[in-house]
Amino acid sequence: MDQKIDFEAIDLTGPPPGQEPDRQYYFIARCRLWVREFLEKQGRLPRACVVNYGCQMNARDSEKLAGILKEIGYDLTESEEADFVIYNTCTVRDNANQKVYGRLGYLNGNKKKNPHMKIALCGCMMQEPSAVEKIKRSYGFVDLIFGTHNIFKLAELLDVCLRQDGMIIDLWEDTDQIVEALPVDRKYPFKSGVNIMFGCNNFCSYCIVPYVRGRERSRKPEDILKEIRSLVDQGVVEIMLLGQNVNSYGKNLPEPMTFAQLLTEVEGIRGLKRIRFMTSHPKDLSDQLIQVMQNSKKICRHLHLPLQSGSSRLLKLMNRHYDKEQYIALAQKIRKAIPDIAITTDIIVGFPGETEEDFKDTLDVVEKVQFENAFTFIYSKRTGTPAAAMADQVPPEVAHRRFDRLLSLVQETAKRRNALLVGTKQTVLAEEVNSHENGMLTGRMSNNALVHFNGPADLVGSLCAVRLTESKGFYYIGQYLQQEDEK
Ligand code: SAH
Ligand code: SF4
Ligand code: F3S
């Protein structure tokens, strides 16, 4: 939010405005009255806890939820023994859902101890009718359910929830709306995610995201640039541009624009030091983007380029629109153009019909590309996706064995590759005090690798020159040399 809103000055005598975000400002102001009453009766502020599951996009949504709750006047806490607990859920794999069901029992215990407590669920899992049915059936103590398309409505829904009992459900199937200018409570003062687009149109055959996040919508470049300028004014030095497929940014804007063009505009923002982005779909990665990265001083030397499978046959069934050879050629082209880049990836094992031969193709790509890091997943069947209905689902024990083999190869190749940087001097953004070891900080290099290095706590948020002394596989130990920026 750029300008400070004076919520006390909002007239609550009339009906709520129809326009957003004014409507939400009105409900924030109404909830603030409830908070004042709570304070008078209880002698303390009500506490709220936002728990995030899932990806960076969900994490950014959670910061928006926290921002609204903070403006309402809640005391934000990490403890789930709060007066309002909201889970922002993920449903990309079944274990994400199971975690939520597991935690709900514990939350109910807290609710029994605290008569004021309200429990809310939102996010991707709530966009699945079967999950909502199960909650209605077996977790009747949940007070509020909403989805991914209407998270901006938290204040309005909370206003109802605080004044009445019973489960309130507000779910939208889709939206073309993007509500700007709502409050945000950021986790880190020096870095931030920035949404550039919402939804996904790719319909990879295993993936639930397009069904729960809706169609692809790009934010207007002027809104994105305004938000980043405002973040920089508040002390942010690193931003991560967020979208399920950033390479298709801008295609549906009234005045179309490419992702590479957007990056060039972002590069021009004074005071911004680092630019990251997530995620790149290989099918849409343009030469223009490689060129912009090559010439950039601010775009980090990291590309997350999900492979999913190395088998051309499976890639076709996955609806990924590239084959094994094209992926390898693309990775090689990128490494040639930007030699210090780290390429990381996501890989799924056990996709329906995966044979030993298909799996060997995946191992082969790992050998050839030598990913600096890879997130490996066992295929999880998502109801409603085309892959769920495919024949030849791979038996779990076969998938687990392949998963272990893949993981050891990824570890081995990454270790080999990451060892090459030992001895070099790198710029590291110090992100936090290392909780395991006294006097140590943890930060990230431009190529996204983690580095643990010695240094005082007040370096957090600064770019530091660090000599890498040891590689531990996926992370490094380093020796602090000097601060590189003026704070
Ligand atoms: N939009 C991103 C990925 C979002 S989901 C992209 O296209 O790259 C993050 C990762 O979860 C995916 O890259 C994929 O590897 C994994 N994933 C998605 N659906 C899955 C499923 N049904 N089973 C296992 N892993 C899955
Ligand atoms: Fe899912 Fe594919 Fe969209 Fe990524 S691009 S979110 S894997 S459908
Ligand atoms: Fe999960 Fe939704 Fe992200 S399903 S991975 S939180 S888009």
Side-chain angles (χ1 to χ4, degrees):
M1 200 161 58
D2 297 316
Q3 79 277 36
K4 207 80 197 114
I5 307 292
D6 183 1
F7 291 102
E8 299 301 316
I10 292 176
D11 176 13
L12 294 175
T13 54
Q19 281 289 95
E20 297 296 0
D22 293 337
R23 187 175 171 88
Q24 297 313 311
Y25 295 164
Y26 174 96
F27 285 107
I28 290 175
R30 268 181 63 136
C31 290
R32 285 165 71 101
L33 293 182
W34 177 89
V35 167
R36 201 173 302 160
E37 275 170 41
F38 186 99
L39 177 63
E40 276 163 20
K41 279 197 218 136
Q42 307 297 327
R44 64 169 177 91
L45 284 174
R47 285 186 288 266
C49 172
V50 181
V51 182
N52 188 64
Y53 294 88
C55 64
Q56 257 108 347
M57 255 144 298
N58 247 29
R60 184 65 180 156
D61 285 348
S62 290
E63 291 185 343
K64 294 177 187 170
L65 296 169
I68 294 169
L69 292 168
K70 198 169 176 181
E71 286 296 352
I72 287 174
Y74 277 96
D75 186 7
L76 293 179
T77 161
E78 309 239 303
S79 160
E80 291 174 39
E81 284 178 27
D83 303 288
F84 182 69
V85 175
I86 180 161
Y87 283 177
N88 190 14
T89 62
C90 170
T91 186
V92 76
R93 286 170 290 276
D94 189 52
N95 51 10
N97 302 45
Q98 295 313 322
K99 245 191 251 168
V100 168
Y101 293 129
R103 281 307 278 183
L104 277 175
Y106 158 79
L107 270 196
N108 193 25
N110 291 352
K111 190 170 175 173
K112 283 184 183 142
K113 285 184 263 167
N114 176 0
H116 307 288
M117 186 173 177
K118 297 276 184 187
I119 298 173
L121 298 174
C122 67
C124 296
M125 189 177 150
M126 298 306 116
Q127 294 293 141
E128 283 193 280
S130 58
V132 175
E133 278 313 308
K134 180 163 171 170
I135 290 158
K136 282 203 273 192
R137 221 174 31 236
S138 312
Y139 303 87
F141 54 86
V142 171
D143 300 282
L144 172 61
I145 293 180
F146 56 104
T148 54
H149 304 301
N150 53 351
I151 68 149
F152 69 89
K153 269 184 79 179
L154 172 63
E156 182 169 352
L157 295 167
L158 189 62
D159 181 62
V160 184
C161 184
L162 290 172
R163 290 164 211 276
Q164 74 179 53
D165 285 331
M167 193 185 283
I168 293 159
I169 302 182
D170 187 15
L171 291 166
W172 299 5
E173 254 177 50
D174 206 347
T175 185
D176 52 12
Q177 212 178 347
I178 296 178
V179 180
E180 299 284 347
L182 283 168
V184 182
D185 183 49
R186 279 183 288 112
K187 192 168 164 206
Y188 295 95
F190 51 86
K191 68 168 188 176
S192 178
V194 174
N195 299 106
I196 63 166
M197 58 208 298
F198 300 94
C200 181
N201 283 354
N202 290 303
F203 290 96
C204 302
S205 65
Y206 49 82
C207 184
I208 192 88
V209 171
Y211 304 87
V212 297
R213 285 268 169 183
R215 294 294 62 72
E216 192 175 287
R217 285 148 287 150
S218 294
R219 270 178 89 192
K220 287 192 232 131
E222 56 269 29
D223 288 333
I224 297 170
L225 295 168
K226 193 166 134 200
E227 179 177 347
I228 300 173
R229 280 192 207 103
S230 148
L231 288 167
V232 170
D233 287 345
Q234 294 163 42
V236 166
V237 293
E238 178 181 299
I239 53 140
M240 182 181 274
L241 304 174
L242 298 171
Q244 293 296 353
N245 175 10
V246 291
N247 296 329
S248 73
Y249 171 79
K251 284 189 183 149
N252 303 319
L253 284 171
E255 287 172 54
M257 170 181 214
T258 65
F259 179 55
Q261 283 169 322
L262 177 72
L263 278 174
T264 309
E265 302 258 337
V266 176
E267 175 100 18
I269 295 178
R270 285 192 38 205
L272 180 66
K273 304 265 172 60
R274 278 179 164 188
I275 305 166
R276 298 187 183 279
F277 53 85
M278 278 266 258
T279 296
S280 285
H281 194 307
K283 80 175 162 74
D284 296 315
L285 198 140
S286 66
D287 286 347
Q288 193 195 12
L289 175 69
I290 299 176
Q291 211 173 43
V292 167
M293 287 184 83
Q294 204 175 19
N295 297 331
S296 167
K297 299 230 163 8
K298 297 184 180 174
I299 302 173
C300 288
R301 284 355 205 181
H302 174 220
L303 199 60
H304 187 64
L305 195 63
L307 166 68
Q308 311 302 4
S309 168
S311 152
S312 298
R313 190 182 74 84
L314 288 193
L315 284 167
K316 204 170 171 78
L317 290 171
M318 287 176 162
N319 195 29
R320 290 290 289 180
H321 298 281
Y322 54 85
D323 63 21
K324 178 184 177 186
E325 284 67 35
Q326 284 166 327
Y327 186 95
I328 294 173
L330 179 63
Q332 282 168 348
K333 181 159 77 176
I334 296 163
R335 288 224 194 263
K336 190 154 174 240
I338 313 163
D340 54 347
I341 204 160
I343 304 180
T344 60
T345 202
D346 292 345
I347 300 172
I348 298 174
V349 295
F351 182 82
E354 185 186 69
T355 61
E356 178 63 21
E357 207 170 307
D358 292 318
F359 177 64
K360 282 200 173 130
D361 276 329
T362 299
L363 297 179
D364 190 39
V365 179
V366 173
E367 282 281 6
K368 294 212 162 86
V369 178
Q370 305 249 318
F371 298 105
E372 273 77 357
N373 204 344
F375 298 98
T376 48
F377 307 107
I378 291 182
Y379 167 74
S380 170
K381 191 171 172 174
R382 309 315 289 136
T383 311
T385 62
M390 286 180 189
D392 302 330
Q393 300 280 328
V394 175
E397 57 285 3
V398 175
H400 278 99
R401 267 202 306 275
R402 286 184 189 153
F403 179 86
D404 291 342
R405 285 161 66 196
L406 175 64
L407 194 62
S408 34
L409 182 67
V410 162
Q411 281 167 343
E412 188 193 309
T413 48
K415 197 170 167 189
R416 232 185 295 147
R417 181 152 197 110
N418 292 336
L420 299 175
L421 290 183
V422 173
T424 61
K425 188 179 121 184
Q426 298 284 339
T427 303
V428 175
L429 175 61
E431 296 194 349
E432 52 205 11
V433 172
N434 188 316
S435 51
H436 301 294
E437 218 173 322
N438 259 347
M440 295 290 276
L441 301 175
T442 298
R444 267 176 208 278
M445 298 174 8
S446 171
N447 84 357
N448 209 38
L450 278 178
V451 186
H452 302 301
F453 64 102
N454 58 311
D458 63 1
L459 283 178
V460 169
S462 303
L463 290 166
C464 305
V466 172
R467 171 100 42 217
L468 302 182
T469 52
E470 193 184 346
S471 167
K472 294 278 195 184
F474 295 118
Y475 68 94
Y476 296 91
I477 306 295
Q479 176 69 41
Y480 172 67
L481 300 172
Q482 69 194 65
Q483 196 170 336
E484 286 201 343
D485 55 351
E486 293 294 316
K487 266 225 257 189

